[in-house]
Amino acid sequence: MATAPEEFRSIRIDKEQCAGRMACMRVCPTEAIRVRDRRAFLLPDKCIDCGECVRVCPNHAIVPQTSSFRDFSRFKYTIALPSPVFYSQFGRGVLPASILKALKKVGFDDSYDVACASESVSIAIQEFLDSNDSPRPLISPFCPTIVRLVQIRYPNLLDHLIPIESPMEIAAREAKHVKMRELGLKEHEIGVIYLTPCPAKTIAIRYPPRKKHSFLDGAIAISEIYPTVVQALSQIGGLNGNSSIRGLGLGWPMVGGQVSSLKAEECLAIAGLADVIRILEDIENGKLKDIQYIECNSCPTACVGGSLTVENPYIARGRVLRMIEQFGSKPCQDLEKIRRLYRRKFFSLPGKIPAHPVQPLDQDVSMAIQKLQGKHDLYEKLPKIDCGACGSPTCLTFAEDVVKGSAALEDCVFLAMRKFASMSSSLLETVESHSRKVPYQTDFEKS
Amino acid sequence: MGKPFSHSFIVEGRNFVQAGTASTKIKTMLKELGIDGGVVRRVAIATYEAEMNIVMYANSGTVVLEVTPEVVRLNVNDRGPGISDIDLAMQEGYSTATPEMREMGFGAGMGLPNIKKNADDLRIKSTVGEGTNLEITFRIN
Ligand SMILES: Nc1ncnc2c1ncn2[C@@H]1O[C@H](COP(=O)(O)OP(=O)(O)OP(=O)(O)O)[C@@H](O)[C@H]1O
Ligand code: SF4
Ligand SMILES: [Mg+2]
């Protein structure tokens, strides 16, 4: 199992760029960011790689840990593997086939479609649902942010993550093996590079949760490669025509894309972390057992709205829908062939996903109990307006930071003000009691 | 031995929007204490069922959570119609849920039996016309 060292997350905060403006802290869904001395810093054990901070930082100080083209010069042969999201980022009429061609113009030796692998994975999921009675509902593991969320907050639900290989891994394995045979190259001589809509995929590639190595060698942000591909496309010309890239796999990057290709009756598609959390809470409470499969996406518009995309997610979604209309009805895979592969365990992932439960307030239960009580007692004294001036995102997290020893009471402006007020009122009292001893009459008393 | 951790939650009858928030917060607290995942899950299921019974049948209620290094205890109190025959209510499948509640996916008559199954100890007291009290205990380890 490739376990990510807890300090390695898919984003990094650039101290030089950070101006401590707290946008990231306020938007972080897991309260993983603090601001101290006008600099933001990350609590890596709480971060789930969702990329929300990347979107909002006014100073572009949140750096996704994606790679650049030059990082792959060590390979003899490079293959670009664009997330199917990539197909939705260009103007009307730009077909997947042209985009794959353009990628070869910008410096990759080859490019390879993932949508077709998505279709086979959909078939594999259906086979799994039909033949396996593991606890329901099963949860999709293809958004790395969701996997991480389950690992840290809902370790009880790890068994619900369906143990099926992701489309990007299936496609990468295929691309590598085809080229190894064709060109007589060794596996390590071929670099397969994902064009990613989000930082989270870098985690799935560097530290795949259920196996030792990914078949991918890195990821480049869609937003980074986009301008050069636009340029290349303008040189290619002749953009219309037919697409060899087809099938329902094209719909995977939008909400409902995974379940729309499933036959299972009881499936849900959830997008946006707040709603995903609500669903996970329900499952943990023992509900939703009659649901078979839940597609969970961290981004509110699923991958077409990933934090490293360029196009407006709703326009991108419209393009995906149009592509499905044009090329979706014709499958690109032979159903029987995929079923055979499924039976030969081509899609299975035997490894277990490790739990990374949030750190308790203290390793010793008695101490943790005291600290939790302290946290809630302090919270009751706070104004509960979550102003953030202390550098913690909410009054409750501030109280937690205090009992953990990483924040001081005076960091709260209200507590500091109250302390100042009581200091000055006692000062006033001293002055007054002192002046009473001195026979002194005001003008008013004299008259 | 130190003082137990204790926190109380208010649950409103018939408020389906708020329903489930006490269970969610209780789970978060137990996770912060580093309580074993299996225990958290059992407490989660029991709290949720108890909370939903207040929402569905009672006017208002409270859930008091108490944690010591040895046990998690829930004290669930409500003002409501009470239960006239507790043995009957404890039977799997027994339910007085209305058709509307059944529409919402409740009323399988599994709530109280599930609480009992997941808890190490369950005590129920109820007075018709006044309310119901559940004391639910879970041993840690
Ligand atoms: N707090 C309560 N106040 C009054 N009556 C209750 C209360 N809790 C349970 N009951 C009664 O006991 C019955 C059985 O409760 P139980 O929780 O086992 O099943 P249910 O609520 O009917 O269905 P389910 O919990 O499966 O959705 C209820 O139908 C109701 O008549
Ligand atoms: S929904 Fe898609 S784009 Fe967003 S974090 Fe998950 S995998 Fe990445
Ligand atoms: Mg019930």
Side-chain angles (χ1 to χ4, degrees):
Chain A
M1 219 82 38
T3 309
E6 277 308 293
E7 0 25 286
F8 184 86
R9 302 279 21 119
S10 68
I11 54 126
R12 187 176 58 79
I13 301 175
D14 182 344
K15 288 265 172 299
E16 303 294 305
Q17 294 296 318
C18 175
R21 291 167 66 179
M22 299 184 170
C24 56
M25 180 186 89
R26 291 181 210 280
V27 81
C28 176
T30 54
E31 293 155 346
I33 296 178
R34 298 291 182 277
V35 178
R36 302 273 184 262
D37 303 324
R38 291 198 64 77
R39 291 283 180 282
F41 69 95
L42 188 68
L43 305 176
D45 60 317
K46 292 192 171 190
C47 171
I48 58 171
D49 305 300
C50 68
E52 293 302 320
C53 50
V54 177
R55 300 181 205 265
V56 298
C57 178
N59 290 54
H60 304 291
I62 314 260
V63 188
Q65 300 293 75
T66 46
S67 307
S68 292
F69 194 75
R70 58 180 173 280
D71 297 331
F72 301 100
S73 55
R74 65 181 188 278
F75 294 104
K76 276 197 177 148
Y77 195 86
T78 54
I79 307 174
L81 216 71
S83 152
V85 170
F86 203 53
Y87 301 148
S88 68
Q89 303 290 294
F90 304 89
R92 248 172 182 266
V94 181
L95 296 178
S98 321
I99 295 165
L100 291 174
K101 205 156 136 198
L103 284 169
K104 285 195 259 185
K105 268 197 159 295
V106 306
F108 294 98
D109 296 307
D110 202 358
S111 54
Y112 204 87
D113 167 61
V114 179
C116 202
S118 304
E119 187 180 311
S120 13
V121 172
S122 292
I123 299 169
I125 293 171
Q126 185 63 58
E127 291 295 300
F128 189 93
L129 294 180
D130 291 343
S131 63
N132 190 291
D133 53 7
S134 58
R136 296 295 198 266
L138 286 154
I139 303 169
S140 64
F142 308 114
C143 172
T145 298
I146 303 299
V147 173
R148 170 88 179 150
L149 176 68
V150 174
Q151 283 179 298
I152 70 172
R153 280 233 208 140
Y154 303 94
N156 279 322
L157 303 183
L158 284 168
D159 288 348
H160 291 251
L161 292 166
I162 196 167
I164 287 200
E165 190 67 285
S166 67
M168 72 173 185
E169 290 289 333
I170 299 280
R173 176 168 62 184
E174 211 169 280
K176 255 189 182 160
H177 288 170
V178 167
K179 284 298 155 189
M180 278 158 68
R181 243 177 303 151
E182 224 177 88
L183 306 169
L185 289 172
K186 302 221 170 53
E187 190 166 342
H188 69 266
E189 292 172 326
I190 304 176
V192 180
I193 298 127
Y194 197 60
L195 306 185
T196 182
C198 63
K201 294 283 188 192
T202 60
I203 292 285
I205 293 169
R206 279 181 86 136
Y207 305 104
R210 283 193 206 260
K211 52 184 198 173
K212 277 213 186 74
H213 304 291
S214 165
F215 285 99
L216 287 132
D217 299 284
I220 298 179
I222 285 182
S223 53
E224 187 176 324
I225 198 114
Y226 184 76
T228 53
V229 176
V230 170
Q231 223 172 21
L233 274 168
S234 67
Q235 290 161 15
I236 288 177
L239 296 178
N240 34 20
N242 242 318
S243 181
S244 52
I245 312 298
R246 54 177 198 262
L248 285 176
L250 286 166
W252 264 57
M254 60 176 196
V255 181
Q258 286 176 44
V259 297
S260 70
S261 49
L262 289 182
K263 267 188 277 128
E265 268 172 28
E266 304 287 351
C267 290
L268 304 179
I270 317 284
L273 271 173
D275 285 339
V276 170
I277 286 172
R278 222 164 290 150
I279 283 285
L280 296 176
E281 288 289 340
D282 279 351
I283 303 174
E284 202 173 43
N285 291 342
K287 292 186 71 184
L288 303 177
K289 285 190 176 122
D290 48 348
I291 302 286
Q292 289 293 317
Y293 182 76
I294 306 187
E295 168 196 321
C296 288
N297 305 282
S298 164
C299 298
T301 44
C303 300
V304 286
S307 57
L308 302 179
T309 58
V310 286
E311 187 53 283
N312 173 308
Y314 296 94
I315 291 182
R317 181 175 175 276
R319 294 199 186 123
V320 171
L321 286 171
R322 197 174 140 71
M323 271 189 282
I324 293 176
E325 211 176 271
Q326 287 181 286
F327 313 113
S329 54
K330 241 184 159 182
C332 69
Q333 296 284 13
D334 173 38
L335 185 61
E336 277 316 312
K337 183 186 130 202
I338 300 299
R339 282 186 178 152
R340 268 199 309 280
L341 285 173
Y342 174 83
R343 285 195 293 274
R344 298 211 321 252
K345 306 236 180 289
F346 183 80
F347 298 96
S348 350
L349 276 171
K352 256 191 153 11
I353 302 181
H356 293 300
V358 266
Q359 283 297 308
L361 290 173
D362 202 288
Q363 293 303 326
D364 174 69
V365 191
S366 313
M367 279 307 290
I369 286 173
Q370 270 183 42
K371 286 185 180 172
L372 188 60
Q373 193 69 59
K375 169 180 164 180
H376 285 277
D377 291 348
L378 172 56
Y379 177 63
E380 287 309 315
K381 297 196 188 94
L382 297 173
K384 300 180 180 159
I385 55 169
D386 299 341
C387 74
C390 56
S392 304
T394 63
C395 294
L396 194 61
T397 41
F398 171 70
E400 179 176 327
D401 291 345
V402 171
V403 299
K404 279 182 168 170
S406 61
L409 284 176
E410 300 75 50
D411 293 339
C412 167
V413 280
F414 290 86
L415 290 186
M417 238 152 57
R418 223 175 285 161
K419 193 169 164 186
F420 181 71
S422 76
M423 262 162 57
S424 41
S425 77
S426 69
L427 191 67
L428 200 67
E429 246 167 56
T430 333
V431 173
E432 274 176 356
S433 69
H434 191 74
S435 52
R436 245 175 269 131
K437 286 183 205 133
V438 186
Y440 174 83
Q441 277 187 315
T442 58
D443 290 346
F444 179 75
E445 283 165 320
K446 273 187 249 167
S447 60
Chain B
M1 204 188 70
K3 280 210 325 229
F5 170 76
S6 145
H7 200 91
S8 84
F9 304 85
I10 292 169
V11 183
E12 285 175 39
R14 284 170 277 281
N15 185 338
F16 283 88
V17 179
Q18 285 293 311
T21 49
S23 339
T24 299
K25 287 186 180 155
I26 287 174
K27 262 191 291 190
T28 307
M29 290 174 173
L30 296 181
K31 289 174 188 176
E32 284 179 277
L33 291 173
I35 305 284
D36 168 78
V39 177
V40 175
R41 190 156 197 186
R42 291 196 286 129
V43 177
I45 294 172
T47 322
Y48 180 77
E49 294 294 353
E51 194 182 351
M52 286 319 298
N53 280 354
I54 300 180
V55 174
M56 290 203 295
Y57 305 111
N59 304 322
S60 67
T62 54
V63 177
V64 179
L65 167 74
E66 243 184 57
V67 190
T68 74
E70 290 80 30
V71 294
V72 176
R73 189 169 292 119
L74 296 170
N75 214 299
V76 186
N77 248 305
D78 72 50
R79 291 168 169 279
I83 304 174
S84 56
D85 187 341
I86 291 177
D87 288 336
L88 186 61
M90 285 302 300
Q91 281 178 20
E92 286 191 10
Y94 174 80
S95 176
T96 61
T98 61
E100 291 77 28
M101 294 172 183
R102 285 168 204 268
E103 272 301 303
M104 295 175 73
F106 301 105
M110 291 303 292
L112 290 170
N114 256 339
I115 296 176
K116 191 170 171 63
K117 205 159 66 198
N118 283 288
D120 290 306
D121 187 54
L122 167 66
R123 281 154 211 231
I124 308 186
K125 284 179 285 190
S126 189
T127 311
V128 174
E130 281 180 24
T132 304
N133 170 259
L134 311 184
E135 196 184 286
I136 318 169
T137 311
F138 307 82
R139 274 193 304 277
I140 302 174
N141 325 309

